[in-house]
């Protein structure tokens, strides 16, 4: 069902693509998504099997809730009084019952970082606020969660490659600067390697999306631990207290900026994930009453938090 949904989604996008180059990029992206989903289901196949005595304790055996929206007050950590200005809201990916009976918030993320057991990726999660927030929210909604189960899918480091063109006999094709096919030095057979010095170029084509998908599946099958990892991320009561204090501090910062009309900028993020779409606006300044070309004003900043979205 997941694969079919991916195919249908990308079929629409590809049909709307304004260039063939962009359409092919979408086909590659589609094959990437399908390969990663296939591999995920194989890596964690025990999640869909009947539990046994030797079941991994980190195996989810029951889904309690999925895509669960929440709203909860933000309270002063010293007085317990809630602010009237803001609420904390979001959507929890999933709440599951583990094989050992505990309830857990379950997160599934993708990353381009290394996900080895001792990597900084996991170290960072020990202080990640979102995880603590989701635990607080789950408990606020009446779910007695005790931990977080964190699944990570690593994005592929490979991309479509160049494949040598071959003739009907399966021999690679090499051309000289004039576009003529080149023979070996003895003239008895065709040359099959290029040479920059001599001006010989091995003729190639770009790997198709389907071919790339097959190669990616093979790579995933040969080293699933490179692509998939799962760890339990514990949260102590002191961690949750720290999260409450951070939420209170953050809402104070936002409220202070609203009152003063001055918002500080974080220029370190202007190119952290590629060029920020708002960079030119920040640089030139923006009149809030005049929406820049290419942008629209929205009334609901987070439509994904609505039920059923």
């Amino acid at each position: 069902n997941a694969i079919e949904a991916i195919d249908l989604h990308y079929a629409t996008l590809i049909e709307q693509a304004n260039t063939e180059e962009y359409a092919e990029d979408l086909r590659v992206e589609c094959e990437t998504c399908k390969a990663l989903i296939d591999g995920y289901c194989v890596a964690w196949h025990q999640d869909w099997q009947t539990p046994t005595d030797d079941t991994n304790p980190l195996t989810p055996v029951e889904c309690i809730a999925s895509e669960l929206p929440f709203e909860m007050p933000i309270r002063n950590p010293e007085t317990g009084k809630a602010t009237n200005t803001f609420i904390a809201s979001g959507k929890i990916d999933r709440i599951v019952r583990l094989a050992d009976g505990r309830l857990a918030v379950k997160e599934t993320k993708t990353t381009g970082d290394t996900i080895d057991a001792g990597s900084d990726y996991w170290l960072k999660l020990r202080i990640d606020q979102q995880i603590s927030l989701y635990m607080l929210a789950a408990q606020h909604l009446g779910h007695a969660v005790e931990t977080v189960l964190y699944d990570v899918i690593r994005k592929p480091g490979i991309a479509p490659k160049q494949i040598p063109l071959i003739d009907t006999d399966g021999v690679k094709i090499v051309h000289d600067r004039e576009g003529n096919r080149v023979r070996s030095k003895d003239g008895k057979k065709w040359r099959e390697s290029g040479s920059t010095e001599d001006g010989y170029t091995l003729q190639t084509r770009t790997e198709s999306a389907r071919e790339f998908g097959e190669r990616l599946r093979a790579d995933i099958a040969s080293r699933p631990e490179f692509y998939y990892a799962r760890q339990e991320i514990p949260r102590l009561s002191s961690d949750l207290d720290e999260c409450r204090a951070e939420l209170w501090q953050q809402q104070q910062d936002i409220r202070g900026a609203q009152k003063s009309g001055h918002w500080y900028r974080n220029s370190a993020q202007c190119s952290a994930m590629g060029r920020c779409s708002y960079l030119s606006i920040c640089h030139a300044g923006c009149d809030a009453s005049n929406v820049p070309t290419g942008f629209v004003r929205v009334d609901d900043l987070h439509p994904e938090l609505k039920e059923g979205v």
Side-chain angles (χ1 to χ4, degrees):
N1 290 339
I3 297 300
E4 181 180 357
I6 293 171
D7 273 330
L8 290 173
H9 174 72
Y10 276 96
T12 301
L13 295 179
I14 292 169
E15 185 178 349
Q16 297 171 349
N18 52 13
T19 66
E20 177 55 30
E21 181 181 7
Y22 181 45
E24 186 63 14
D25 286 343
L26 289 172
R27 294 186 189 100
V28 171
E29 190 174 295
C30 178
E31 290 297 327
T32 300
C33 290
K34 292 193 294 183
L36 290 174
I37 291 295
D38 274 344
Y40 181 91
C41 291
V42 173
W44 307 121
H45 65 278
Q46 69 269 24
D47 291 3
W48 296 274
Q49 294 182 342
T50 303
T52 61
D53 292 339
D54 59 352
T55 299
N56 186 327
L58 296 187
T59 297
V61 297
E62 182 183 2
C63 178
I64 305 300
S66 180
E67 294 293 308
L68 184 63
F70 66 86
E71 290 185 354
M72 64 180 182
I74 300 175
R75 299 186 181 278
N76 185 318
E78 296 182 359
T79 66
K81 183 179 179 180
T83 173
N84 295 322
T85 309
F86 300 105
I87 59 171
S89 64
K91 184 177 284 188
I92 302 171
D93 282 359
R94 187 170 294 181
I95 296 176
V96 298
R97 190 182 309 279
L98 301 179
D100 61 9
R102 292 176 299 159
L103 290 185
V105 170
K106 185 173 185 300
E107 281 284 283
T108 303
K109 300 290 188 182
T110 60
T111 183
D113 297 337
T114 300
I115 56 175
D116 297 338
S119 68
D120 287 347
Y121 184 88
W122 298 106
L123 184 63
K124 178 181 70 69
L125 291 178
R126 299 294 177 178
I127 58 172
D128 184 85
Q129 187 190 61
Q130 185 185 53
I131 296 176
S132 298
L133 176 62
Y134 284 175
M135 279 202 68
L136 288 174
Q139 292 172 359
H140 176 75
L141 294 174
H143 299 283
V145 294
E146 299 181 53
T147 189
V148 176
L149 184 64
Y150 214 94
D151 276 357
V152 185
I153 303 173
R154 185 172 179 177
K155 300 174 186 177
I158 61 175
K161 64 180 182 180
Q162 294 298 305
I163 298 177
L165 293 176
I166 58 175
D167 59 21
T168 54
D169 295 322
V171 179
K172 297 176 183 177
I173 301 172
V174 176
H175 285 172
D176 60 19
R177 291 189 178 92
E178 286 72 40
N180 301 311
R181 192 168 182 182
V182 181
R183 285 192 172 275
S184 58
K185 289 184 179 181
D186 60 13
K188 295 181 178 180
K189 56 184 180 180
W190 296 114
R191 183 185 177 97
E192 293 193 77
S193 62
S195 170
T196 303
E197 181 180 353
D198 297 323
Y200 299 157
T201 304
L202 177 67
Q203 301 302 292
T204 62
R205 65 173 177 83
T206 303
E207 187 177 35
S208 71
R210 186 173 297 278
E211 289 170 329
F212 169 72
E214 292 173 353
R215 183 162 62 90
L216 177 57
R217 283 179 169 84
D219 191 45
I220 291 173
S222 68
R223 49 174 188 164
E225 69 286 348
F226 177 86
Y227 288 94
Y228 308 102
R230 170 179 288 177
Q231 285 195 25
E232 179 180 347
I233 310 297
R235 277 296 180 266
L236 305 176
S237 58
S238 58
D239 296 323
L240 301 183
D241 288 341
E242 182 71 20
C243 180
R244 293 185 184 97
E246 288 177 348
L247 287 174
W248 182 257
Q249 181 180 358
Q250 288 163 356
Q251 68 85 25
Q252 285 185 311
D253 288 345
I254 296 171
R255 189 57 181 151
Q258 288 179 332
K259 289 180 177 179
S260 67
H262 295 290
W263 302 82
Y264 53 80
R265 294 170 291 186
N266 183 4
S267 59
Q269 295 300 311
C270 293
S271 57
M273 300 290 289
R275 190 180 191 275
C276 176
S277 301
Y278 298 91
L279 180 58
S280 58
I281 298 175
C282 286
H283 182 266
C286 176
D287 178 3
S289 63
N290 184 19
V291 179
T293 302
F295 291 83
V296 296
R297 186 182 300 280
V298 297
D299 296 322
D300 187 352
L301 293 180
H302 299 286
E304 72 278 5
L305 298 184
K306 295 178 180 178
E307 289 279 6
V309 176

